[in-house]
Amino acid sequence: MEFGVVLQTNPPAQRTVQLAQLSEVHGFDYVWTFDSHLLWQEPYVIYSQILDRTDRIKVGPMVTNPATRDWTVTASLFATLNEMYGNRTVCGIGRGDSAVRVTNGKPSTLKEVRDATHVIRELANCRPVDYKGSRLQFPWARTSSLEVWVAAYGPLALKAAGEVGDGFILQLADVDIAAWMIEAVRTAASNAGRDPMAITFCVAAPMYVSRDPGGDDLAHQRDQCRWFGGMVGNHVADIVAKYGESAAVPPALTDYIKNRQGYDYNEHGRAGNTHTDFVPDEIIDRFCLLGPAEAHIAKLEQLRAVGCDQFAGYLQHDMKEETLRVYGETVIPALRDHVTARS
């Protein structure tokens, strides 16, 4: 299993770069960031600094969208970074949440996600593509290689992820829901004539390692991660609005938003925000990784067993450095393939 960390690009930018460097020191493979240009600083500028100050870690947005930038601009950003730093980027893409809603826009359609995935991938892989009636190609790109991973929850979005994505991003760590969605993506890939086992499956959720070895600070951990249930609830609310309460998704995903009263994007992704009281403790326990290292390892082993290739942990809480340290020293080694010096 590979490991990533998900950061917000809060100022100062050097703090984000420092956390990315520390993530590499502790053995993480990826650094992801939010991509919401009004709420936080521009991630692509910061990616250049992260790549310049690290040796092997890959960077990318979790997630960008087709609406914020012209697709050719997005492709150019990735291709430029790849040409400069040796193909150490990945593009996570979805319909859009805070990046579009804060500007009174709406999430992109799934057709736009599909089309943008194709255009971005072709251009950033040094190939020509048809776009707005012209045949386009970067004349300066020679070595760039990029994968595009699609974030999804609903049935049609899962189908799109299986049909066009190099990877699938699921932003919650409930084992049963993950198993159901991974299978849905694999089925869609197979039906489209693709190899379902060639898709990378990334599960992303807050990771909080307990201060207390016995996990007695669980209430504090939950309060630090309750924001995540609110963020996921935005997407779940869209699914329920489209399909109704009998949506073709597990009730374990949709039932908890019945008491949702709205959402304040000024507090998006922040620990201790004031509008996620509707998220019950049970959801936090299911969607996140909490407790001592042993509890994290046990849940990650379950996720790996249902097909998870990467776990990406959100660090929007008050135990960033310590969580990275424990993962580097205990959790990540337990989930890596073990090689012995002599057999």
Side-chain angles (χ1 to χ4, degrees):
M1 178 180 279
E2 292 189 311
F3 288 84
V5 60
V6 188
L7 306 173
Q8 287 176 343
T9 53
N10 290 308
Q14 293 306 321
R15 168 70 166 150
T16 305
V17 176
Q18 181 186 55
L19 285 170
Q21 291 176 293
L22 190 59
S23 299
E24 181 173 81
V25 167
H26 287 304
F28 285 82
D29 306 287
Y30 288 75
V31 168
W32 303 89
T33 72
F34 288 56
D35 180 10
S36 193
H37 56 289
L38 281 174
L39 297 181
W40 302 291
Q41 293 180 320
E42 173 58 36
Y44 293 96
V45 176
I46 297 173
Y47 292 160
S48 67
Q49 293 294 302
I50 292 173
L51 291 168
D52 191 59
R53 301 186 195 185
T54 56
D55 296 317
R56 57 171 183 79
I57 209 156
K58 294 184 178 180
V59 299
M62 188 176 283
V63 294
T64 194
N65 65 83
T68 302
R69 304 172 184 86
D70 185 272
W71 307 342
T72 62
V73 172
T74 300
S76 180
L77 290 165
F78 282 107
T80 300
L81 291 172
N82 284 337
E83 295 282 324
M84 290 176 68
Y85 297 106
N87 295 327
R88 292 169 53 203
T89 70
V90 60
C91 178
I93 192 168
R95 296 180 60 212
D97 183 25
S98 63
V100 294
R101 297 188 202 266
V102 170
T103 58
N104 296 320
K106 295 181 179 180
S108 302
T109 66
L110 285 174
K111 183 181 186 305
E112 289 169 331
V113 172
R114 289 171 181 271
D115 292 346
T117 295
H118 175 69
V119 169
I120 293 167
R121 180 166 49 213
E122 294 306 293
L123 287 174
N125 280 281
C126 309
R127 296 190 290 260
V129 70
D130 293 325
Y131 181 68
K132 295 185 177 180
S134 296
R135 188 74 164 169
L136 304 179
Q137 186 172 4
F138 296 140
W140 45 265
R142 295 289 185 269
T143 61
S144 175
S145 177
L146 179 74
E147 289 190 351
V148 182
W149 298 8
V150 177
Y153 291 104
L156 293 178
L158 294 170
K159 183 173 182 288
E163 291 175 346
V164 304
D166 297 305
F168 163 55
I169 297 172
L170 171 59
Q171 289 164 299
L172 58 84
D174 181 284
V175 176
D176 293 335
I177 294 174
W180 184 87
M181 291 192 173
I182 288 171
E183 182 59 30
V185 171
R186 283 180 171 160
T187 298
S190 180
N191 290 341
R194 304 180 70 204
D195 179 1
M197 304 309 293
I199 298 173
T200 301
F201 292 97
C202 175
V203 168
M207 54 179 180
Y208 193 115
V209 177
S210 175
R211 286 191 181 93
D212 188 317
D216 291 338
D217 59 339
L218 182 58
H220 178 76
Q221 295 176 61
R222 286 169 171 162
D223 286 343
Q224 286 286 298
C225 298
R226 199 174 303 275
W227 66 268
F228 185 68
M231 185 186 80
V232 174
N234 296 332
H235 303 284
V236 175
D238 287 345
I239 294 171
V240 172
K242 181 177 179 63
Y243 296 98
E245 292 187 3
S246 60
V249 294
L253 178 60
T254 58
D255 283 352
Y256 84 96
I257 68 161
K258 291 180 179 178
N259 294 322
R260 182 176 181 266
Q261 298 295 319
Y263 193 83
D264 182 359
Y265 279 95
N266 288 311
E267 296 184 313
H268 187 57
R270 294 184 183 177
N273 61 31
T274 59
H275 57 270
T276 56
D277 290 345
F278 72 94
V279 181
D281 289 348
E282 176 196 1
I283 287 294
I284 303 168
D285 294 346
R286 283 176 29 216
F287 284 13
C288 305
L289 274 75
L290 309 177
E294 294 75 18
H296 290 240
I297 292 168
K299 190 165 188 178
L300 288 168
E301 287 176 338
Q302 291 180 296
L303 288 167
R304 181 171 62 177
V306 300
C308 175
D309 300 301
Q310 180 186 148
F311 171 69
Y314 287 85
L315 277 186
Q316 284 66 57
H317 54 64
D318 59 4
M319 284 282 283
K320 295 178 177 65
E321 286 85 356
E322 180 64 6
T323 294
L324 290 175
R325 183 191 68 79
V326 175
Y327 261 71
E329 294 182 0
T330 305
V331 178
I332 292 177
L335 276 295
R336 296 290 199 200
D337 292 334
H338 295 284
V339 177
T340 58
R342 180 176 178 178
S343 60

